[in-house]
Amino acid sequence: MRIVVAVLFLVLALASPLAAADRLDPIPRIAVISAFEPEWKVMKASVSEPTSYSVNGVEFVTGTLAGRKVVLFLCGVSMVNAAMNTQLVLDRFDVTGIVVSGIAGGVDPSLHVGDVTVAQRWGQYLETVFAREVDGKFQLPLWMQTPYANYGMIFPQDVGVRSAKDGLLKKFWFDIDPGMLTAATGLSAVELKNCTAAQACLSHSPRVVVGGNGVSGQAFVDNAKFRQYVFDTFKAQVLDMETAAIAMVAYANAVPYIAFRSLSDLAGGGAGENEMRTFFQLASDNSAAVVQRFLAVWTPPR
């Protein structure tokens, strides 16, 4: 009988979607995700009692940040890296919420380099069809349609996503968690940097802007006309290459998420050369400062 029980226990353990041994840490934690190394270094330096793990070449650092139990990691640039490694952290840690911290390109003309945006929802705007040209016009196949205006041959589409709750859906927008949004809206003033270490200074005082839309895709955008199209079509404040992919994974796993993106450049909207190389560290620092203030005031669901 003992042998039978032991065998049944082993079978059940192997049949489990995630064996307990696969979890690297049993403590419920907030996952803090960055894509670009300067963003990651700012956060990592602030973690107390850090412990490092490595999975598939990705370093995960657990510890305490702003009084919260966290797991930090660098997902890497691009939609695929973001989605793949967000799912990896959910599989290997007990994640109670996802917080994205990093830099982005500004789309809304009212925003400036150094501002920290907290978009209310994110969409994959480069999930598209490249349409054929007929008599000087671009046309979708008759059996396809899109609610969004095209940019030349580029026609944005909804993306298919599966979840246990809703099954398969076609969605464009993935909303951030309402409780997280409320906490972000109620943040008191955060001191944001105005000058770089090399004394390249902004002509304005950076601010935190909560609300509006963000979009993500596989392209680094440095084109004024395309930037205007993105603003007109999606009413977007900001664009990047990861957040909407993270949002999709969060939705599929029913995990609350929020993203803080500080503007390192204006996606081609500036008067001169792209500003990212000059202001990426300042933008990373500003995003990290707001994230730490957010962590101090937001209460995880468990």
Side-chain angles (χ1 to χ4, degrees):
M1 179 59 72
R2 289 180 179 177
I3 295 176
V4 172
V5 171
V7 170
L8 286 174
F9 180 81
L10 178 62
V11 169
L12 289 173
L14 293 174
S16 172
L18 184 65
D22 291 332
R23 280 276 170 89
L24 298 175
D25 179 270
I27 299 172
R29 297 183 183 275
I30 302 168
V32 181
I33 306 175
S34 297
F36 190 48
E37 192 165 7
E39 308 158 352
W40 152 252
K41 287 182 176 178
V42 172
M43 284 295 186
K44 186 178 177 182
S46 301
V47 174
S48 61
E49 300 179 350
T51 300
S52 181
Y53 303 86
S54 180
V55 184
N56 295 351
V58 179
E59 182 185 8
F60 296 94
V61 176
T62 62
T64 302
L65 181 65
R68 302 296 184 191
K69 298 296 184 182
V70 297
V71 51
L72 277 68
F73 69 101
L74 187 68
C75 71
V77 175
S78 89
M79 301 287 279
V80 174
N81 279 329
M84 175 175 66
N85 291 320
T86 299
Q87 187 62 58
L88 185 60
V89 77
L90 295 178
D91 289 343
R92 293 307 183 97
F93 294 87
D94 183 6
V95 175
T96 60
I98 293 172
V99 178
V100 180
S101 177
I103 64 175
V107 178
D108 187 332
S110 70
L111 300 180
H112 303 90
V113 170
D115 289 348
V116 179
T117 64
V118 191
Q120 188 169 350
R121 57 182 186 168
W122 285 81
Q124 297 188 42
Y125 75 126
L126 292 183
E127 188 82 13
T128 64
V129 174
F130 284 10
R132 69 173 62 190
E133 188 172 1
V134 180
D135 297 328
K137 295 182 179 180
F138 294 104
Q139 296 180 3
L140 285 173
L142 295 178
W143 46 270
M144 299 187 73
Q145 59 183 358
T146 176
Y148 296 103
N150 61 299
Y151 185 82
M153 70 176 183
I154 303 173
F155 286 74
Q157 302 287 304
D158 293 338
V159 61
V161 57
R162 290 178 173 84
S163 69
K165 178 182 176 182
D166 299 318
L168 176 63
L169 290 178
K170 298 283 281 185
K171 287 174 62 68
F172 188 90
W173 296 112
F174 294 86
D175 293 338
I176 69 171
D177 178 71
M180 288 177 144
L181 178 64
T182 298
T185 303
L187 288 178
S188 57
V190 181
E191 184 176 350
L192 301 177
K193 290 187 176 181
N194 193 59
C195 295
T196 69
Q199 292 304 302
C201 295
L202 303 172
S203 60
H204 58 278
S205 297
R207 59 200 175 104
V208 179
V209 181
V210 180
N213 301 330
V215 292
S216 306
Q218 296 87 334
F220 180 89
V221 177
D222 190 34
N223 183 280
K225 289 185 177 179
F226 189 73
R227 176 184 189 255
Q228 187 65 48
Y229 160 76
V230 173
F231 179 66
D232 293 340
T233 304
F234 305 105
K235 310 305 178 190
Q237 275 63 55
V238 61
L239 59 79
D240 68 18
M241 299 176 67
E242 297 86 23
T243 301
I246 295 171
M248 181 175 171
V249 175
Y251 167 83
N253 289 273
V255 176
Y257 90 97
I258 192 170
F260 297 85
R261 289 288 190 172
S262 182
L263 307 189
S264 60
D265 63 279
L266 300 179
E273 292 291 325
N274 186 280
E275 308 96 327
M276 178 182 166
R277 276 299 195 189
T278 302
F279 292 111
F280 71 83
Q281 190 63 63
L282 180 148
S284 295
D285 291 347
N286 283 352
S287 176
V290 179
V291 165
Q292 291 188 60
R293 180 66 62 83
F294 170 81
L295 291 173
V297 302
W298 178 64
T299 303
R302 57 185 175 82

